[in-house]
Structure formats: C-alpha cells, structure tokens
Amino acid sequence: MKTTTDLSADLELFNAIRAGQHELLDTLYQDHRDAFIHFARQQLGANEEDAVDGFQDAVIVFYKNTVSGKLEELSCSIRTYLFAVGKRIIYRKNEQRRRESPMDLDTGRNPADELDMGIFDKIEDDHRKQLLANGLDQLGEPCRQILTLFYYHRYPIESVQNTLGLSSPGAVRVKKLRCLDQLKNILTKN
Amino acid sequence: MERRDDIQKKVDDRLLGRLAPTPDFEQELADSPALAEALADTELAMEAIDAAEDMVLKARLQKLEKQLAGKKPKRHLKVVKDEKEEAVVRPIRPSFFKRNMVAIAASLLFLLSAAYYFLMVDSTPSTADLYAANFEPYRNIAVDLTRSNDASPEEVAFTAYENGDYEKAAQLLLALDGKPAYRFYAAQAYLAQKNYAEAKKILMPMADDAAFPLSKQANWYMALAELGNNELETAKARLQTISKTGNHPYSKVATELLQELNK
C-alpha cells in the first residue's frame, strides 16, 4: 500500500515531469517496470514481450497526458495510473493475438468472414504515421528541436529560448513560424 | 487584417489546450480562411511531430529496457522492524528529493520561465527579434584551419572567430594586413556582438563595391546591421533591392524578412 510519503514523492515527480523534466521518465520506468511486468504476466496472461511493450506505451501515454494537461492533477499514485492504462493496452494486445491465431481450416468457415478489418486500419494508420514522422525527420536543426520542444514537450517560448540558447522569445517565435512553413511544405510534397 | 503571428498564437493556444473552444472562436474560424488554414496546417504539423516524437520516446524506453535486461539494479539494504516487531530486510530507496535535487531546481526555474511567458508574452516580433532570427555569422571560407603549434596570425584570428570568441576575433582580424575579406569577417564579429555602428562602417564600402567578391553578402549583412540599429526604412529599402535581384543569394530570405517587417 502506498504511504503518504510515496504519494507526495509521486506528486513531486509528476510536477517535475510536467515542468519539463522529461528525462525523469527513466526513473519512473525503473521504479514501476518490474511490478507491472509481473502483474501483466500473472494477472492478465500477457507474454513478456507484450508486457514490456505495453508498459512502455503506458509510460508514453502518462507522459503525454501529463505535459498536455489532460492529466490535470494526480488523484492516485503514478503506479495506479500506469497499471490502469497498461491494463487496457494489454487487453487490446491479447484481443489482437486471439484474432491473429491460426484458424482451423477443417471447420469449413470462410476465413474472409473472420478477417479483422481493424488490423488493416491499423496498418494504414501506422503507414500514415510513418510518412508524417518522415516529414519531421527531413527538417533540419534547430527547426526540429524548436517544434518538438514547443508542440510535443509543451515548453513555453521562454524555455525553448533558454534550452536552445536563442537570443529572445521573439526570435524563437519568428523561427517557429518559418519552421512550421518548412514542415508544411515537406508534408504537402510527401 | 490580422497579423500572421497573432493568428498562429491563437491557433497554438487552441491546439495546446490553452484556449477552450468557444462559439466566438468557431465563428471566427468560419469567417477567416487564414485562421482555418493555419489551424489545419498546424494540426497536420502536430500530428507529424507527435508521430515522430512518440517513436523517439519509444526508442529511448526500448534502449533503457535493454540496459535493464538481465541487470537487476543494486539497492542498499536496511533492517527495519515490521508491525510484529520482526526484523525484515527492505531495500532503501533514496528519497525522491535526494535523487532529483538538480531536476527539481531546474523545474522551478522552468516554472518561473513559464509564468513569465504567460504574463509577459507579446507576440509581435521586434526589429531586434527579427535581427536575431536572421543573423548568422558568415562561415569561414577565408582561411583553412589546421591544428599546429605554430599557427599564423590569420589562423589564430579565425580560430577565435570559429570558436565564437567574437571580441577577440574582431581585434585580431582588424590587426591583420587589412585585406577586405578579413575586414568583412571583422564586421561579422561586430554584428555578433551587436555592435552595429562598427559593423556598418566596415560593410558600407564593401556593399557598394561590385568588384568585392562578397559584396552581395555585405549588402545583406548591412541590411541586418541597419535593422539591428533600428533604421527600419533604410533596412527595408536595402532588403527590397536584394529581394528583387534575381540571382542574389539572399533574395528569398530578404523577401521573407520584408514580409515579416511589413506585417
């Protein structure tokens, strides 16, 4: 059971990550990894690979919800939150594995009737994401850093300026606009 | 007509959750094609950034996982007593504050920056901002630098220039034999120190001298010096000329800068 001290430590960690210390995710990962893998294998019937993969995705969801403000305040421990998110991810993975398992051809069922169109949607979605990600990869520095710090890590302009050693917040805003234009041109061409 | 930066700020606030959807915003979106276009473009850009950075974060966690695999973290142990007064051994977990003191201090600094941003933000770029966004010291193409103990005065000067020690570089470059190319770099060093007046003195004759191989570059940097010096109209006139010169290496960026100045 989590003690008050543990919860206040969680709150400090949560606030620090929200304030831009994304490297603290490593600490968080190490603190809860073993417990989650054990839980996912024992309670949810996940294999090791899915358990690890699901935990990583849960950490990413936690991070994104924290910095975007979707997770406004920590009403439970970080472990509880990670377990709740991770559990849903593992359920989905289990479901996917069940659907992908080979069918008994002797039953006479038409395999086409059982095709999971969701898999095709996922492949298409992954492909689109890869194309979009390639677009960002084509941006040079410091454009990629500026856009990433501002839109992904949600740094305020002042912090982008300090992190990248740029001369003024106004200069960052001008550069950010140009970088957005460049990215738009790349994405349109792709 | 609304400025582009103001439109972008509105779009950012909306997409980053700082501005709740309101009927007013929806109406404005319906009425303003520029706002609608900026919103759509930024949404797509954010999707790309999200996709790419999710992959980066995932790769980072996978790397961490590999490091952890087969390597149980060593933890110090201490003997404590449980409720039944029986001795049990538990790992000591260093307190969060001890582990992350530097991170917490950095976070506080970050929060102060964030507070400053939200209180003081002014989305209009000043001429100083535009200068800073556009100025990059011209790369050294004058002297090849080699690692040796008996460096020539030229090498010492350009080493200072390449290392960003612009105060020293300006002095050393001006102390060389007065070749125009060296003086051009001395002007760069002055610009890097925001000493626009000295930079202009050097660049002015070069910008007007078509025989000088870097005269086009000198013209561009002259415009930046004027911009930094708040001589807005003179800078604009020079940028117009650069912008209209088809084969000018800075014509595209001059056009962009002009657009930003004319907003």
Side-chain angles (χ1 to χ4, degrees):
Chain A
M1 193 177 136
K2 282 263 172 186
T3 64
T4 314
T5 316
D6 288 333
L7 283 174
S8 66
D10 270 4
L11 193 60
E12 290 294 336
L13 182 59
F14 170 73
N15 286 332
I17 289 172
R18 186 162 59 175
Q21 298 297 306
H22 52 85
E23 65 276 12
L24 291 179
L25 284 180
D26 289 3
T27 308
L28 182 145
Y29 188 91
Q30 292 178 66
D31 282 352
H32 304 293
R33 183 234 180 239
D34 290 351
F36 182 84
I37 305 297
H38 181 76
F39 165 75
R41 298 197 66 178
Q42 297 295 317
Q43 305 291 321
L44 309 176
N47 62 26
E48 175 89 13
E49 185 192 340
D50 280 357
V52 169
D53 197 49
F55 181 60
Q56 288 169 354
D57 288 348
V59 171
I60 293 172
V61 169
F62 169 79
Y63 176 69
K64 293 179 76 171
N65 286 345
T66 299
V67 293
S68 70
K70 277 184 192 164
L71 182 56
E72 284 180 8
E73 55 184 37
L74 203 58
S75 55
C76 60
S77 71
I78 290 178
R79 177 167 290 191
T80 304
Y81 188 90
L82 289 174
F83 274 45
V85 175
K87 191 160 80 174
R88 279 165 50 191
I89 295 170
I90 296 293
Y91 280 154
R92 211 181 307 151
K93 282 181 181 291
N94 286 348
E95 180 66 11
Q96 201 175 319
R97 283 204 185 274
R98 191 184 62 75
R99 286 178 177 168
E100 284 170 355
S101 62
M103 283 183 297
D104 183 359
L105 296 178
D106 295 334
T107 59
R109 286 178 301 179
N110 180 358
D113 293 343
E114 309 227 358
L115 273 180
D116 176 14
M117 297 312 287
I119 291 173
F120 294 105
D121 290 344
K122 188 179 179 307
I123 290 168
E124 206 166 284
D125 190 45
D126 286 350
H127 180 64
R128 175 180 155 75
K129 278 187 180 166
Q130 189 60 59
L131 280 178
L132 288 170
N134 290 347
L136 190 73
D137 290 340
Q138 288 171 43
L139 262 191
E141 300 296 358
C143 268
R144 182 179 173 133
Q145 281 176 302
I146 290 173
L147 295 181
T148 299
L149 288 176
F150 186 78
Y151 288 109
Y152 190 82
H153 298 296
R154 308 290 173 109
Y155 277 30
I157 288 284
E158 285 285 333
S159 302
V160 176
Q161 180 208 340
N162 292 336
T163 306
L164 301 182
L166 297 171
S167 58
S168 70
V172 179
R173 274 190 283 275
V174 172
K175 275 187 184 284
K176 181 173 80 65
L177 262 184
R178 287 187 188 165
C179 296
L180 268 178
D181 285 344
Q182 276 184 37
L183 182 58
K184 178 190 156 190
N185 286 338
I186 293 169
L187 294 174
T188 314
K189 276 179 200 162
N190 285 352
Chain B
M1 195 174 157
E2 204 170 4
R3 292 166 50 94
R4 170 117 194 263
D5 349 352
D6 294 331
I7 292 175
Q8 189 60 47
K9 182 169 187 319
K10 214 175 278 181
V11 164
D12 288 346
D13 286 347
R14 175 75 190 85
L15 292 177
L16 297 176
R18 295 174 194 146
L19 183 71
T22 58
D24 284 353
F25 183 83
E26 294 307 316
Q27 187 57 50
E28 208 181 334
L29 201 56
D31 295 341
S32 165
L35 181 63
E37 188 186 346
L39 185 73
D41 287 347
T42 311
E43 271 178 329
L44 183 65
M46 281 181 72
E47 216 183 320
I49 293 162
D50 247 31
E53 288 304 309
D54 279 355
M55 289 174 195
V56 169
L57 190 47
K58 181 83 179 177
R60 184 175 125 199
L61 295 177
Q62 285 169 337
K63 189 177 167 194
L64 180 62
E65 178 64 31
K66 270 189 188 166
Q67 288 167 358
L68 293 174
K71 186 178 95 179
K72 284 279 173 195
K74 278 187 185 174
R75 286 184 167 178
H76 301 288
L77 298 176
K78 69 173 179 181
V79 177
V80 295
K81 294 206 169 176
D82 68 3
E83 286 163 355
K84 294 175 190 167
E85 291 292 303
E86 289 168 341
V88 293
V89 178
R90 288 185 186 152
I92 298 174
R93 183 170 181 266
S95 79
F96 173 79
F97 295 98
K98 278 185 185 169
R99 282 182 295 153
N100 298 302
M101 205 177 289
V102 175
I104 290 166
S107 300
L108 284 172
L109 187 63
F110 178 91
L111 284 172
L112 286 172
S113 299
Y116 174 85
Y117 167 72
F118 287 113
L119 291 172
M120 307 294 289
V121 69
D122 169 14
S123 65
T124 310
S126 63
T127 51
D129 292 334
L130 289 171
Y131 169 81
N134 284 279
F135 173 69
E136 271 179 34
Y138 197 72
R139 68 186 190 285
N140 166 28
I141 54 170
V143 172
D144 282 335
L145 298 180
T146 52
R147 289 176 185 274
S148 69
N149 293 328
D150 52 347
S152 67
E154 286 86 355
E155 285 174 329
V156 175
F158 276 93
T159 301
Y161 182 81
E162 289 197 359
N163 288 340
D165 186 352
Y166 295 114
E167 195 180 344
K168 185 178 171 188
Q171 285 173 7
L172 295 176
L173 286 162
L174 289 175
L176 295 174
D177 67 359
K179 271 188 189 170
Y182 296 161
R183 293 177 57 75
F184 172 80
Y185 283 100
Q188 300 295 309
Y190 278 132
L191 282 174
Q193 298 173 78
K194 300 188 178 172
N195 187 342
Y196 308 117
E198 288 302 316
K200 278 173 60 186
K201 275 187 210 164
I202 299 174
L203 290 169
M204 180 76 88
M206 294 174 176
D208 294 337
D209 180 5
F212 177 56
L214 295 173
S215 74
K216 286 176 177 165
Q217 285 80 354
N219 237 309
W220 163 249
Y221 284 105
M222 188 68 194
L224 288 183
E226 288 162 348
L227 189 63
N229 217 25
N230 249 328
E231 298 165 50
L232 194 56
E233 293 311 315
T234 324
K236 276 185 181 178
R238 193 178 294 277
L239 289 168
Q240 283 281 6
T241 311
I242 296 173
S243 166
K244 286 177 184 166
T245 310
N247 61 347
H248 198 292
Y250 290 89
S251 83
K252 187 167 173 272
V253 69
T255 308
E256 285 175 3
L257 181 51
L258 265 176
Q259 285 168 353
E260 281 154 358
L261 287 168
N262 288 329
K263 275 176 190 168

